[in-house]
Amino acid sequence: MSSAINPAHTAKLLRVMLVALMLSSMSAMMFNIVLPELSLEFNLSLAQVSWMSAAYSLIYAVGTVTYGKLADRFKLKNILTFGLLVFAVGSIIGLLSQSFGMALLARCLQSVGAAAIPAVSMLIPIRYIAQERRGAALGMAAAGLALGSALGPVLSALLTSFADWRWLFSFPIALLALIPFYRSYLPDDTGVKSAFDWLGGVLLGAAAGLVLFGFTNVSWFSLGLGLIFLALFIWRIRSAAEPFVRPELFRNRKYSFMILVAVMVNGIGVSFYFLTPVLLSRVQELPPYWIGMVMVPAAIVSAILGRKAGKLADRRGNAFLYAIASSFIMICLFLLSSFAAAPGWWIAAILILGNVGQSFMMITMSNTVSRTLPKEQAGIGMGLFSMCGFITHGMASGLYGIIAEWTATTSVNPIHQDSGSAVFSNLYLVLALLHIGVLVFYLAQFGSSRKHQTIAASPGSGAKP
């Protein structure tokens, strides 16, 4: 059983969680715009230096599910303390780095530590906050992620305009100040002590890494090898006495359904954070700093409305919030398709709908998934949910990068007339139509919001009426 948090500490803990998520998300995004500079300084290709971002994302994805599994056995405060310390060590090494290898090692260490933050942040509302108030807590988490994702590129551009790129490593060191608060506010409860299936974890990590690498680099060898490791992982969890993931988790129909929905929704949502900056650079010809500024208003509005959306989910149900979020995203995608050649300030206004919708979507999906899991599977279940999101982000970014290179002179959208941005217009329109299908898919499973609020407990579900 989990011990309760002192009610006086709940709000403070959520604010600490918001800051930690913001700084970790910010760190994930900061190095993207300095990759060309790294390429010149170390005389490496852009593909080689891109591992500064790719390695971070991959370790972050696999680390999230690993920490989620460890959270079923150890105190959350100890997991966070370890993660934040490793994050800071990696940052200090990065500040002192004199070679690309040293900088890459620092980036990998940062990711090993940073992965503890989303893993534990998803568990805090599940373990310690009543189900009827969980949406508001998840809303604060979404606000932190939204702010970090938008502020990262902007602060990176500002800092590197007058300082060396190595100073980008300095921001996460501030997270050390949060350790005393986490250790004070989080209870001392631990999960069930059981053997940790390291082989299963390694097989899952290898499968995820190779599939992601194979997809983004169009390597059939890596993709095939990744699928072999995935088959070995499935064999392992079916044969081990204490598997890394219990097979019955995947027999939980509602959980498996939400994983599929999350993959589709995250894949579409990446277009706001990856494809739109490419559009602003190639069509509007904006420099990196102004591209970052275009993204800021949407992030600020998302952060402001995040907790309100969580409270709305608590009152009206997750399906109600999902329908609102999906509507915002579809309208945004249709407007981007129609006005892809519009000035930057217009794109900034349109993006508010998309980012708010995506932020709302993360809240309702996390809340929905949390209600499909029994407490003994919450750590690994939420970890896998997060890992799928990160991997989808990497795969979708690679796919959008390929499509953005295509040539198209005619837009399928009759409102859009600019030939120079036709490929972006067509892609946004396809994504809008896909989102309609995902919405129908979700509502067919969960029905009305009230139905979702009272999911009946079923074998392996863990949901409570």
Side-chain angles (χ1 to χ4, degrees):
M1 292 291 292
S2 297
S3 55
I5 294 180
N6 184 329
H9 291 164
T10 302
K12 296 177 182 177
L13 176 60
L14 292 177
R15 285 195 288 270
V16 171
M17 183 180 76
L18 183 149
V19 173
L21 283 167
M22 182 182 72
L23 287 173
S24 67
S25 176
M26 186 187 303
S27 179
M29 306 295 292
M30 296 190 87
F31 280 82
N32 291 343
I33 70 171
V34 298
L35 295 182
E37 182 179 344
L38 294 177
S39 177
L40 292 173
E41 179 172 335
F42 296 113
N43 194 27
L44 297 171
S45 69
L46 195 59
Q48 289 173 313
V49 296
S50 67
W51 275 102
M52 287 284 283
S53 296
Y56 187 100
S57 299
L58 178 58
I59 296 172
Y60 199 75
V62 177
T64 300
V65 69
T66 303
Y67 283 119
K69 179 66 176 178
L70 291 171
D72 292 334
R73 303 177 67 233
F74 300 104
K75 298 177 183 178
L76 294 188
K77 61 170 62 177
N78 290 344
I79 291 175
L80 272 170
T81 300
F82 173 80
L84 295 180
L85 286 173
V86 173
F87 202 177
V89 169
S91 301
I92 293 170
I93 292 174
L95 277 170
L96 302 175
S97 62
Q98 296 301 315
S99 66
F100 178 74
M102 190 175 178
L104 181 59
L105 171 64
R107 196 74 173 129
C108 291
L109 283 174
Q110 277 193 321
S111 187
V112 168
I117 298 173
V120 173
S121 297
M122 291 294 103
L123 286 175
I124 288 173
I126 296 174
R127 286 193 183 181
Y128 306 119
I129 296 178
Q131 194 176 91
E132 61 271 14
R133 295 187 290 111
R134 192 177 295 165
L138 291 170
M140 290 194 72
L145 290 172
L147 277 175
S149 297
L151 294 179
V154 177
L155 291 178
S156 177
L158 283 173
L159 182 62
T160 54
S161 66
F162 63 85
D164 187 82
W165 60 268
R166 291 170 181 82
W167 285 101
L168 296 177
F169 282 104
S170 64
F171 288 92
I173 298 176
L175 287 168
L176 291 175
L178 301 182
I179 292 178
F181 296 103
Y182 273 125
R183 299 198 66 82
S184 174
Y185 298 153
L186 282 171
D188 286 317
D189 61 307
T190 57
V192 179
K193 295 293 183 181
S194 59
F196 190 86
D197 181 20
W198 289 105
L199 177 57
V202 169
L203 290 173
L204 177 61
L210 287 166
V211 168
L212 179 59
F213 180 84
F215 188 89
T216 54
N217 291 273
V218 197
S219 170
W220 290 106
F221 175 77
S222 296
L223 188 59
L225 195 57
L227 293 176
I228 291 174
F229 273 101
L230 179 60
L232 290 173
F233 170 73
I234 295 172
W235 166 81
R236 176 65 182 177
I237 65 174
R238 292 172 65 90
S239 60
E242 293 288 343
F244 189 80
V245 182
R246 294 195 173 276
E248 54 263 30
L249 178 63
F250 300 107
R251 291 196 289 267
N252 181 339
R253 184 170 57 86
K254 291 186 181 297
Y255 175 78
S256 298
F257 171 85
M258 282 307 303
I259 290 291
L260 180 58
V261 169
V263 166
M264 293 187 288
V265 167
N266 282 318
I268 295 172
V270 170
S271 63
F272 299 130
Y273 312 111
F274 180 86
L275 188 62
T276 304
V278 176
L279 167 71
L280 293 169
S281 174
R282 295 187 181 177
V283 179
Q284 283 79 4
E285 298 183 346
L286 295 181
Y289 173 77
W290 284 109
I291 292 174
M293 293 302 295
V294 168
M295 310 292 285
V296 167
I300 292 176
V301 175
S302 296
I304 293 172
L305 296 181
R307 196 170 186 187
K308 295 182 183 297
K311 291 179 178 178
L312 183 62
D314 292 336
R315 291 197 308 268
R316 300 292 300 275
N318 290 315
F320 180 81
L321 181 61
Y322 186 101
I324 293 176
S326 189
S327 298
F328 283 176
I329 292 172
M330 288 186 291
I331 293 171
C332 177
L333 289 169
F334 180 75
L335 289 175
L336 287 173
S337 172
S338 301
F339 305 104
W345 65 267
W346 200 344
I347 300 294
I350 294 173
L351 280 178
I352 292 176
L353 279 173
N355 279 34
V356 168
Q358 193 66 14
S359 178
F360 286 10
M361 190 65 75
M362 294 303 102
I363 296 169
T364 187
M365 287 197 303
S366 298
N367 209 359
T368 302
V369 170
S370 73
R371 297 184 184 206
T372 69
L373 294 167
K375 283 191 175 181
E376 64 271 14
Q377 293 182 345
I380 187 65
M382 293 304 294
L384 282 170
F385 170 74
S386 298
M387 186 189 78
C388 288
F390 294 134
I391 291 177
T392 302
H393 187 285
M395 295 176 70
S397 297
L399 180 61
Y400 293 148
I402 293 171
I403 295 176
E405 299 294 336
W406 292 358
T407 301
T409 57
T410 305
S411 175
V412 179
N413 187 340
I415 300 176
H416 184 268
Q417 300 296 326
D418 179 67
S419 60
S421 55
V423 65
F424 294 96
S425 173
N426 291 338
L427 182 52
Y428 284 127
L429 184 60
V430 169
L431 295 176
L433 296 175
L434 281 175
H435 224 294
I436 294 175
V438 178
L439 174 61
V440 173
F441 191 44
Y442 177 93
L443 294 180
Q445 174 68 26
F446 288 102
S448 67
S449 60
R450 189 55 53 194
K451 174 184 174 183
H452 172 63
Q453 288 288 76
T454 57
I455 296 174
S458 57
S461 166
K464 296 181 180 180

